[in-house]
Amino acid sequence: MPHCLIKWLHSYLPNHLQRVRLPAEFLTWTTLAGGMPQGSWLGPLSFIILINDWAAGPILHKYVDDTTITGALSSTSRTSDIQSYVNRLLLWTSKNSMKINYSKTKEMLLGPLFKLNVPHFDIDHSLIETVSGFKFLGVHVSNNLSWNLHVDYICARANTRLHYLKRLKWAGLPADRLAHWYISVIRPVVEYCAIVWHYGLSKNQTESTEAIQRRAFLIVYPTTASMPY
């Protein structure tokens, strides 16, 4: 990396100030000892560069500040290397002056092993919560590898937005605008990351997602309710 680029980035980081605003007054300015201005374009990029050298385990998924460590567990030995990976993570965070958000750190056993009594790992002598489902980058993953949790989640969100589609209909919005609102606001919820989960849906789960589309169609085009589509 060119030295001039490093100096340019370094000049952007120090001497940032912040203060707290109360209803009737401002508190005094305080110079920040670290961090990045929120909302800056360089913020996410700088963070990605910062964590680029961390490689705690053989299977590591990093997306900005979300990190997932994956390890295989045998049904016979019931031993895992996850604890050693976490220890490496703690060493790395200590060297880089970073902290782990323990309240957001979860452990989940996938597949048939979730029924077994497997020793849990800890961070700084604190046991990590074991969960049966977790929202991973917008997709709800269950420990039994079914998509019930995710389908229920997206259907609940989409049905809530269908209510607003009805209100827009009552307000007199034309059909083309209603269809555009559905495509922009509701359909992305139902189809988000569908390439990952849609192939594994059961018949009932598929019907639940298709029912949302049918309800939206009847709201936007009520005069064609009896027509096949």
Side-chain angles (χ1 to χ4, degrees), residues 184-204:
S184 304
V185 178
I186 300 179
R187 196 169 74 178
V189 173
V190 182
E191 297 182 355
Y192 173 75
C193 219
I195 193 174
V196 173
W197 51 266
H198 190 271
Y199 75 96
L201 296 187
S202 65
K203 183 178 180 181
N204 291 335

Side-chain angles (χ1 to χ4, degrees), residues 150-166 181-182 185-191 208-213 215-216 219:
H150 184 69
V151 171
D152 292 343
Y153 170 76
I154 63 175
C155 288
R157 287 192 64 192
N159 285 325
T160 299
R161 300 187 182 195
L162 282 175
H163 170 70
Y164 292 101
L165 183 64
K166 289 182 180 179
W181 196 87
Y182 165 76
V185 178
I186 300 179
R187 196 169 74 178
V189 173
V190 182
E191 297 182 355
S208 298
T209 57
E210 291 295 330
I212 295 172
Q213 179 173 275
R215 287 182 58 193
I219 295 172

Side-chain angles (χ1 to χ4, degrees), residues 70-140:
T70 306
L73 186 64
S74 172
S75 58
T76 55
S77 62
R78 300 187 186 181
T79 58
S80 172
D81 295 326
I82 293 293
Q83 184 65 62
S84 62
Y85 302 154
V86 172
N87 294 337
R88 294 182 199 175
L89 169 61
L90 293 175
L91 181 61
W92 183 90
T93 55
S94 176
K95 291 181 178 179
N96 289 271
S97 301
M98 298 183 68
K99 293 183 179 180
I100 300 175
N101 191 334
Y102 297 153
S103 63
K104 293 185 178 181
T105 303
K106 309 296 180 183
E107 175 189 23
M108 185 166 65
L109 296 173
L110 296 173
L113 295 177
F114 80 90
K115 299 179 181 179
L116 301 179
N117 185 17
V118 179
H120 303 297
F121 72 93
D122 65 89
I123 298 180
D124 287 345
H125 307 291
S126 299
L127 288 177
I128 299 302
E129 180 186 3
T130 301
V131 296
S132 58
F134 190 73
K135 186 179 181 181
F136 179 60
L137 299 180
V139 177
H140 286 75

